[in-house]
C-alpha cells in the first residue's frame, strides 16, 4: 500500500491509456510522457502498461506499506527516501515504513513513479488512467490528496533481482528549454493562408501558462487566415469550421495569435481550424515543456512520422535488452 | 437525393485518418458519416482503435504498426465510394426534451467573466447571439431556437457533450453564431451553448468556446447514476437522437433541478423509428409528424 501524506501539486494514477472510447468523447488519458513512463516499468520488469504515478512539478510525500521495488523516471527531480537522495532511472528497493518525498523539479514537468506489480486501482473501461474532467478512472477519478491509500501489486517474481539496474545515459532524454516538434500538416487546414502556414513554421512559439494535460497553448506569432466566406454551419469567425473530431496532437488555431495542441486528456472535438497534427512521439516533449519555454514546429510527411515512431520503438527494445543484460 | 461530392481524406499525424465528407454542414453529410461508420464497425478491422463519426466528417484512429497508413487510406476510400448509402439507414432513436432556462443569471455571469476573449465584450452571449441573427425581441429569439428538434450529429468534446443540428428548417432560418475568439477556461455544467449552427449542453465544468445562452435543468452526464433513465450509461446522448429544447422559467428550473437531485426526475422522451430517407424527401412535414403529441 502507498499512504499519501501530502498530495503534491498534481499527482494522478496513469497507465498507457484508455483505447476505444473516443467516439463517446472519452480521451485516451494515460501517461503524458509515455517514453519516461514505459522506461519506469521496464526497469522493474513490469509489463509496460502497469499503472504508476504521474507527478507534476512537485511530487507527493508517500509512505510505503510494504517492501517492494520502485523506479523514478521523467523530469529530473530531487527525491529523498527517508533522508537519502534517491537515484533516478534506477530500480531501488524500499522497505515497509520508508517515506519518499520530493523537491520542486527544475527542468521538465512530469516525473513518474513506478512500483513492482503496479498500482492496483480498479480498471475503468479497460484502463487505470485518471481522467479528472469526468472523474473517471485512477484513484476516485481525481488527483491524490493527503490520506489517500493506494493498493499496490505484489512484487513480481524475480523483482528483487532488478535492484540496481539503471538506464544508460544515452537513453535519458535531454531536458532542453527549446523543442523541435514534428507535424504532419493538413486535417482542416484549408482556411489558413499560405502566408499563415509560412509564419507558423518560421516562428518561435512560447508555451503559455494555460497549459495542462488537456492542451498546451502557444503564443508569440500571428497566423493569417484566408479571406473566403466560412462554410455553412461553422460560425462566422475566420478560424471557424464545422465541428469535427480532433486527433490527439491536433494543432488548433482559434485566432491569429494562438495555437493549441491537444494532449491525452483532450476535448475530443470542436470547431476551430487545425493546421496539422503533432506526431505521437513528440507529444512527450510537449508534456515536458514548461510555461515560457520555446518551440518550433517542423513539417514532416506521414512516412517520416512512421520512421520516427519505429526509431523510438527500436530504442525501447534496445534499452530493454540492455537492462536484461545488467546484473 | 443523397448526392454528395467526394470525401477528402487527410492524415492526422501517424495514428489518425480524417475524412471530410463536406465542408458545409447538412443533415445529409451526417447521415453519410453514420452509414460509413456503421459499415466500418461491422467489418471489425484489426488495428483500428477508434471510429468516430462527427458532424460532416469522421475520424479513424489506428495502430500504424498493425495497419499501414496508406493501405488503410485506400481501404477507407473504397468504403466511402461503395458503401455509404444513407438511404439504407433506418434509425431507432428517441426524441428527448431538454427543459431550458434561457438568458439566465449564470450565463450572464460567465459572459462577463470571459468578456476579454469575446468579439463583443459589452454584450452578454445571449445578446450577442440575438444580434448576430438579427433579433431584437428576446421571446422571438427563444422561439426560433427552440421550435424544432436538433439531430444529435456528433458526441464528444467532453464525455456526454452532444452536438445538435436543427432539422426541418431552411438554412436561412437556422440560428448561427461564431465561437469565442479564444476558448473559455471554465464553462458551467449544463450550460447551453451555440457555436456555428450547433447547440450543445455542456456535461461538466470545463473549457468551451460556444456562446452561452441558457441553462439546461437536466443533466446530460450522470457520473453517480442517480437517474433511472441513465441507469445503463453515463450519457444521455446517442448519435441520431432528436433533442427538443423547451423554454422554462426560473421557478420550473428550480423545481426540475430539485427533482434531479432527489433522483426522481424522468426525462420526457419517446421512441421513434427515424428514416433519414423520408426526412430528405418530406423535410419539415416529417419532423412535425414525429413531434405530434410530444
Amino acid at each position: 500500500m502507498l499512504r499519501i501524506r501530502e498530495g503534491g501539486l498534481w499527482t494522478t494514477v496513469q497507465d498507457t491509456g484508455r483505447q476505444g472510447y473516443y467516439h463517446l468523447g472519452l480521451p485516451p488519458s494515460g501517461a503524458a510522457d509515455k517514453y519516461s513512463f514505459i522506461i519506469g516499468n521496464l526497469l522493474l520488469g513490469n509489463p509496460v502498461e502497469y499503472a504508476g504515478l504521474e507527478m507534476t512539478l512537485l511530487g507527493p510525500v508517500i509512505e510505503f506499506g510494504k517492501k517492494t521495488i520502485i523506479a523514478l523516471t521523467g523530469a529530473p527531480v530531487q527525491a529523498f527516501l527517508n533522508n537519502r537522495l534517491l537515484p533516478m532511472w534506477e530500480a531501488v528497493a524500499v522497505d515497509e515504513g520508508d517515506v519518499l518525498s520530493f523537491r520542486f523539479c527544475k527542468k521538465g514537468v512530469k516525473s513518474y513513479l513506478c512500483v513492482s506489480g503496479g498500482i492496483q486501482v480498479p480498471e475503468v473501461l479497460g484502463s487505470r488512467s485518471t481522467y479528472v474532467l469526468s472523474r473517471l478512472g485512477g484513484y476516485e477519478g481525481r488527483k491524490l490528496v493527503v490520506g489517500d491509500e493506494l493498493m499496490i501489486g505484489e512484487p513480481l517474481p524475480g523483482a528483487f533481482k532488478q535492484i540496481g539496474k539503471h538506464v544508460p545515459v544515452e537513453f535519458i532524454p535531454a531536458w532542453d528549454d527549446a523543442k523541435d516538434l514534428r507535424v504532419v500538416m493538413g486535417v482542416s487546414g484549408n482556411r489558413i493562408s499560405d502566408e499563415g502556414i509560412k509564419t507558423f513554421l518560421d516562428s518561435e512559439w512560447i508555451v503559455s501558462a494555460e497549459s495542462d494535460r488537456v492542451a498546451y497553448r502557444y503564443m508569440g506569432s500571428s497566423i493569417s487566415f484566408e479571406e473566403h466566406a466560412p462554410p455553412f454551419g461553422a460560425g462566422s469567425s475566420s478560424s471557424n469550421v464545422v465541428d469535427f473530431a480532433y486527433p490527439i496532437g491536433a494543432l488548433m488555431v482559434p485566432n491569429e495569435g494562438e495555437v493549441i495542441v491537444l494532449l491525452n486528456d483532450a476535448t475530443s472535438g470542436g470547431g476551430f481550424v487545425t493546421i496539422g497534427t503533432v506526431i505521437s512521439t513528440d507529444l512527450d516533449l510537449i508534456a515536458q515543456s514548461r510555461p515560457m519555454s520555446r518551440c518550433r514546429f517542423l513539417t514532416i510527411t506521414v512516412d517520416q512520422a512512421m520512421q520516427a515512431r519505429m526509431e523510438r520503438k527500436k530504442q525501447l527494445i534496445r534499452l530493454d535488452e540492455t537492462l536484461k543484460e545488467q546484473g | 437525393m443523397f448526392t454528395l461530392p467526394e470525401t477528402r481524406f487527410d492524415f492526422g499525424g501517424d495514428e489518425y485518418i480524417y475524412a471530410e465528407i463536406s465542408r458545409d454542414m447538412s443533415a445529409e453529410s451526417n447521415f453519410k458519416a453514420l452509414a460509413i461508420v456503421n459499415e466500418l464497425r461491422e467489418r471489425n478491422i484489426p488495428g483500428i482503435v477508434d471510429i468516430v463519426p462527427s458532424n460532416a466528417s469522421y475520424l479513424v484512429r489506428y495502430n500504424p504498426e498493425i495497419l499501414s497508413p496508406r493501405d488503410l487510406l485506400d481501404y477507407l476510400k473504397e468504403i466511402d465510394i461503395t458503401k455509404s448509402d444513407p438511404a439504407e439507414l433506418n434509425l431507432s432513436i428517441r426524441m428527448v426534451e431538454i427543459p431550458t432556462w434561457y438568458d439566465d443569471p449564470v450565463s450572464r455571469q460567465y459572459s462577463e467573466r470571459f468578456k476579454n476573449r469575446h468579439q463583443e465584450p459589452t454584450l452578454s452571449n445571449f445578446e450577442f447571439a440575438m444580434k448576430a441573427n438579427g433579433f431584437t425581441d428576446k421571446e422571438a429569439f427563444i422561439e426560433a431556437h427552440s421550435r424544432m428538434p436538433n439531430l444529435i450529429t456528433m458526441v464528444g468534446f467532453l464525455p456526454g457533450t452532444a452536438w445538435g443540428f436543427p432539422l426541418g428548417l431552411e438554412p436561412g432560418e437556422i440560428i448561427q453564431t461564431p465561437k469565442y475568439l479564444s476558448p473559455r477556461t471554465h464553462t458551467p455544467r449544463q450550460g447551453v451553448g451555440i457555436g456555428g449552427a450547433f447547440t450543445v449542453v455542456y456535461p461538466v465544468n470545463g473549457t468551451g468556446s460556444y456562446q452561452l445562452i441558457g441553462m439546461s435543468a437536466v443533466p446530460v452526464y450522470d457520473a453517480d447514476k442517480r437517474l433511472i433513465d441513465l441507469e445503463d450509461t453515463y450519457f444521455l446522448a446517442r448519435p441520431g437522437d432528436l433533442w427538443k429544447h423547451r423554454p422554462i422559467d426560473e421557478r420550473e428550473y428550480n423545481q426540475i433541478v430539485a427533482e434531479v437531485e432527489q433522483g426522481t426526475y424522468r426525462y420526457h422522451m419517446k421512441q421513434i423509428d427515424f428514416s433519414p430517407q423520408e426526412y430528405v424527401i418530406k423535410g419539415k412535414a416529417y419532423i412535425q409528424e414525429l413531434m405530434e403529441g410530444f
Side-chain angles (χ1 to χ4, degrees):
Chain A
M1 185 184 290
L2 304 181
R3 293 189 189 89
I4 306 301
R5 290 192 179 174
E6 283 172 37
L9 206 57
W10 192 275
T11 309
T12 55
V13 177
Q14 298 293 344
D15 58 18
T16 46
R18 182 173 283 113
Q19 318 295 346
Y21 299 93
Y22 207 52
H23 64 284
L24 298 176
L26 201 58
S29 300
D33 171 5
K34 285 223 171 50
Y35 180 75
S36 297
F37 174 77
I38 286 173
I39 291 179
N41 275 330
L42 291 180
L43 273 166
L44 300 173
N46 277 346
V48 292
E49 71 277 7
Y50 268 29
L53 292 185
E54 177 175 283
M55 305 172 284
T56 310
L57 297 173
L58 178 63
V61 177
I62 301 170
E63 184 190 327
F64 291 91
K66 72 177 162 199
K67 182 181 164 86
T68 187
I69 312 293
I70 62 169
L72 181 63
T73 62
V77 60
Q78 279 193 316
F80 297 90
L81 192 61
N82 303 325
N83 293 313
R84 200 177 77 239
L85 195 62
L86 185 82
M88 291 192 71
W89 308 95
E90 182 174 327
V92 178
V94 295
D95 273 322
E96 186 179 339
D98 278 356
V99 175
L100 180 65
S101 59
F102 294 88
R103 297 234 174 103
F104 256 100
C105 84
K106 297 235 165 60
K107 288 187 162 188
V109 178
K110 306 282 189 196
S111 305
Y112 293 92
L113 181 73
C114 291
V115 183
S116 184
I119 290 175
Q120 298 293 325
V121 293
E123 274 195 8
V124 175
L125 301 172
S127 162
R128 296 188 164 89
S129 287
T130 315
Y131 176 50
V132 172
L133 284 177
S134 295
R135 292 190 283 131
L136 276 180
Y139 189 87
E140 297 180 1
R142 59 167 171 78
K143 64 176 183 169
L144 301 183
V145 297
V146 58
D148 289 347
E149 296 193 337
L150 281 73
M151 298 301 288
I152 53 176
E154 277 301 304
L156 298 180
F160 292 90
K161 291 185 205 154
Q162 301 291 124
I163 296 168
K165 290 198 176 186
H166 58 276
V167 179
V169 68
E170 64 194 276
F171 293 98
I172 297 175
W175 303 93
D176 299 334
D177 226 21
K179 319 258 187 206
D180 284 341
L181 304 171
R182 291 165 290 185
V183 177
V184 176
M185 299 295 279
V187 188
S188 70
N190 55 71
R191 304 204 65 192
I192 295 166
S193 69
D194 291 349
E195 191 54 39
I197 289 173
K198 192 170 178 304
T199 316
F200 166 72
L201 293 168
D202 287 349
S203 305
E204 194 167 67
W205 294 90
I206 313 283
V207 175
S208 122
E210 268 176 25
S211 296
D212 55 20
R213 287 180 47 88
V214 175
Y216 259 59
R217 297 195 190 212
Y218 296 86
M219 314 280 180
S221 195
S222 179
I223 296 174
S224 56
F225 292 96
E226 293 280 12
E227 290 290 323
H228 56 66
F232 176 79
S236 58
S237 285
S238 14
S239 66
N240 290 178
V241 295
V242 168
D243 289 38
F244 68 103
Y246 294 136
I248 301 295
L251 273 151
M252 290 154 57
V253 188
N255 58 68
E256 293 195 342
E258 185 178 29
V259 287
I260 301 180
V261 182
L262 292 164
L263 296 188
N264 296 346
D265 284 355
T267 48
S268 74
F272 290 118
V273 70
T274 55
I275 200 166
T277 309
V278 177
I279 65 171
S280 59
T281 44
D282 287 358
L283 298 178
D284 296 357
L285 301 178
I286 295 180
Q288 291 290 14
S289 57
R290 295 168 76 106
M292 302 313 290
S293 68
R294 295 159 297 133
C295 78
R296 278 176 186 281
F297 295 101
L298 310 177
T299 169
I300 64 168
T301 65
V302 71
D303 297 310
Q304 288 168 319
M306 278 305 294
Q307 220 173 349
R309 183 187 180 98
M310 295 321 282
E311 271 163 26
R312 157 70 59 89
K313 190 179 174 180
K314 279 184 206 152
Q315 195 176 5
L316 285 170
I317 291 170
R318 219 165 56 236
L319 171 63
D320 194 30
E321 285 164 357
T322 309
L323 291 174
K324 283 187 172 124
E325 284 161 14
Q326 285 177 13
Chain B
M1 131 200 357
F2 276 114
T3 45
L4 291 166
E6 209 175 312
T7 301
R8 194 179 67 83
F9 290 89
D10 234 336
F11 288 113
D14 50 333
E15 295 186 350
Y16 298 86
I17 292 178
Y18 168 69
E20 184 183 73
I21 293 166
S22 62
R23 239 165 237 181
D24 288 333
M25 181 58 196
S26 68
E28 287 86 336
S29 293
N30 188 250
F31 295 142
K32 178 170 172 177
L34 278 180
I36 293 170
V37 161
N38 287 348
E39 173 70 27
L40 204 51
R41 285 201 178 122
E42 269 174 34
R43 294 190 183 193
N44 207 9
I45 314 295
I48 290 186
V49 178
D50 255 310
I51 306 169
V52 190
S54 35
N55 294 315
S57 57
Y58 54 95
L59 181 73
V60 176
R61 184 178 181 198
Y62 62 99
N63 179 346
E65 292 161 36
I66 298 177
L67 207 47
S68 123
R70 291 190 194 286
D71 289 346
L72 178 59
L73 181 62
D74 291 342
Y75 191 87
L76 290 177
K77 281 182 176 166
E78 196 190 307
I79 292 181
D80 199 273
I81 290 167
T82 57
K83 296 278 180 188
S84 62
D85 186 5
E88 290 166 16
L89 264 186
N90 282 303
L91 305 167
S92 174
I93 61 148
R94 305 165 310 175
M95 188 176 284
V96 185
E97 183 182 274
I98 308 291
T100 305
W101 181 12
Y102 285 92
D103 195 23
D104 65 294
V106 176
S107 305
R108 268 179 260 144
Q109 182 201 323
Y110 272 78
S111 304
E112 177 64 25
R113 184 172 159 196
F114 291 103
K115 65 182 179 187
N116 62 341
R117 297 164 190 255
H118 200 275
Q119 35 282 80
E120 292 216 29
T122 57
L123 299 180
S124 73
N125 288 187
F126 185 90
E127 291 162 341
F128 176 70
M130 274 181 58
K131 187 180 163 190
N133 289 280
F135 285 86
T136 48
D137 179 52
K138 179 175 158 178
E139 295 312 316
F141 176 81
I142 293 173
E143 161 66 13
H145 182 260
S146 61
R147 69 182 142 153
M148 293 307 273
N150 292 330
L151 173 71
I152 301 304
T153 48
M154 171 172 169
V155 301
F157 179 66
L158 289 164
T161 315
W163 279 257
F165 179 71
L167 292 187
L169 295 176
E170 295 300 319
E173 295 176 306
I174 292 176
I175 286 175
Q176 294 200 65
T177 69
K179 292 138 201 166
Y180 266 58
L181 291 178
S182 177
R184 288 180 305 271
T185 51
H186 294 277
T187 300
R189 182 170 66 94
Q190 288 168 225
V192 175
I194 316 180
F198 301 95
T199 296
V200 304
V201 179
Y202 286 93
V204 293
N205 299 313
T207 63
S209 59
Y210 278 22
Q211 309 293 338
L212 295 167
I213 58 160
M215 289 289 280
S216 162
V218 299
V220 295
Y221 172 69
D222 184 17
D224 306 317
K225 300 205 173 172
R226 289 163 302 179
L227 298 170
I228 300 169
D229 297 311
L230 299 183
E231 226 168 24
D232 314 327
T233 168
Y234 294 109
F235 315 112
L236 179 63
R238 293 184 200 159
D241 275 359
L242 298 176
W243 284 9
K244 167 83 175 61
H245 289 267
R246 179 171 66 84
I248 56 171
D249 59 12
E250 182 175 3
R251 187 195 55 78
E252 192 176 356
Y253 175 85
N254 290 331
Q255 186 190 325
I256 296 173
V257 166
E259 284 176 35
V260 170
E261 272 166 19
Q262 287 156 16
T264 55
Y265 180 79
R266 297 298 306 266
Y267 291 86
H268 178 43
M269 55 176 141
K270 81 168 178 181
Q271 202 71 38
I272 292 171
D273 290 317
F274 182 65
S275 158
Q277 170 99 329
E278 226 177 313
Y279 171 64
V280 172
I281 298 167
K282 295 205 274 182
K284 188 176 189 174
Y286 181 56
I287 301 302
Q288 279 169 332
E289 205 178 291
L290 297 177
M291 282 167 67
E292 256 168 49
F294 184 71

